[in-house]
Amino acid sequence: MPREARIAGMDWAQLKAAVRECTACRLHSARTQTVFGVGDEAADWLFIGEGPGAEEDARGEPFVGQAGRLLDNMLAAIGLKRGQDVYIANIVKCRPPGNRVPEPSEAGACDVFLRRQIALMRPRLLIALGKTAASNLLSSDASIGSLRGRLHKCGGLPLIVTYHPAYLLRNLIDKAKAWEDLCFARETMERLKAQAPAQP
Ligand code: SF4
């Protein structure tokens, strides 16, 4: 059976095992471990970043360290908490050497895992953190500036684009824009929940 079809039929446990063993792109050769994702597997919110950095590679969890603390603060600002109705994942599950941007072939090889996570989770709203996530999820090379502030669709699900926390650490001036994006995301979620309340 082709790889895509096999992965598309996996449950959470099978998917985690497949990621752990994956050698589908060259990023596998330098990793300490894969970084699958973290959080509530039935979350309404799915935040997607670029790929693991050094600390994430060492700990096996996305968004730890300084950028992770900023993401946690961003979540708290809109009443969210890591692990509670929030899931966090990345475009690639192995660390690109030197924290470089993942190559299209690497992102392409890993995409099937993220798509399966999304299909199993069925979140209400996706948040693309940064250019790599936005470009891969929307198949667009447009800038973050031109993509933010609008509701997009990815695989039939609503998607909002904002800045990556690591970028915000270096560009404090854009924090206000990220705050606008988060407010937009919170309003969008309220609307989505009003349109389709959770089943009892
Ligand atoms: Fe496999 Fe993704 Fe790691 Fe590449 S980045 S080896 S596709 S898990």
Side-chain angles (χ1 to χ4, degrees):
M1 190 189 289
R3 176 173 177 262
E4 278 72 21
R6 230 176 346 99
I7 293 170
M10 288 179 176
D11 62 22
W12 280 108
Q14 291 166 332
L15 191 63
K16 287 173 189 173
V19 167
R20 237 181 350 257
E21 304 298 317
C22 182
T23 56
C25 82
R26 63 182 174 161
L27 293 183
H28 80 274
S29 58
R31 73 186 176 211
T32 305
Q33 59 191 313
T34 54
V35 180
F36 182 79
V38 69
D40 176 356
E41 292 174 355
D44 284 332
W45 294 84
L46 173 57
F47 288 76
I48 302 168
E50 180 176 297
E55 286 192 60
E56 288 81 6
D57 175 69
R59 285 179 44 186
E61 182 172 334
F63 285 96
V64 292
Q66 238 190 323
R69 282 191 289 281
L70 178 55
L71 178 61
D72 288 341
N73 290 339
M74 291 163 70
L75 294 176
I78 52 169
L80 297 173
K81 193 162 189 251
R82 184 184 290 241
Q84 290 179 8
D85 203 21
V86 173
Y87 197 90
I88 305 168
N90 279 314
I91 291 294
V92 290
K93 307 206 180 302
C94 301
R95 182 191 179 202
N99 293 349
R100 65 164 170 76
V101 173
E103 302 280 348
S105 64
E106 295 157 356
C110 217
D111 180 69
V112 65
F113 290 132
L114 180 60
R115 301 279 169 183
R116 187 59 188 152
Q117 284 175 299
I118 294 171
L120 287 168
M121 192 180 313
R122 290 189 293 142
R124 288 182 195 260
L125 182 60
L126 311 180
I127 308 291
L129 297 166
K131 172 107 167 95
T132 300
S135 300
N136 281 283
L137 292 166
L138 296 174
S139 303
S140 163
D141 204 29
S143 67
I144 294 290
S146 66
L147 292 171
R148 55 177 290 276
R150 289 188 283 138
L151 200 55
H152 302 270
K153 283 272 182 190
C154 171
L157 292 171
L159 180 146
I160 287 172
V161 172
T162 190
Y163 297 98
H164 192 286
Y167 167 87
L168 292 172
L169 288 171
R170 300 186 306 267
N171 299 273
L172 294 177
I173 195 145
D174 281 330
K175 265 192 171 175
K177 293 184 192 160
W179 170 242
E180 283 171 19
D181 298 337
L182 291 172
C183 291
F184 175 47
R186 185 176 53 189
E187 288 157 20
T188 301
M189 179 62 84
E190 282 166 8
R191 203 173 59 250
L192 292 168
K193 284 185 172 174
Q195 284 166 0
Q199 298 300 315

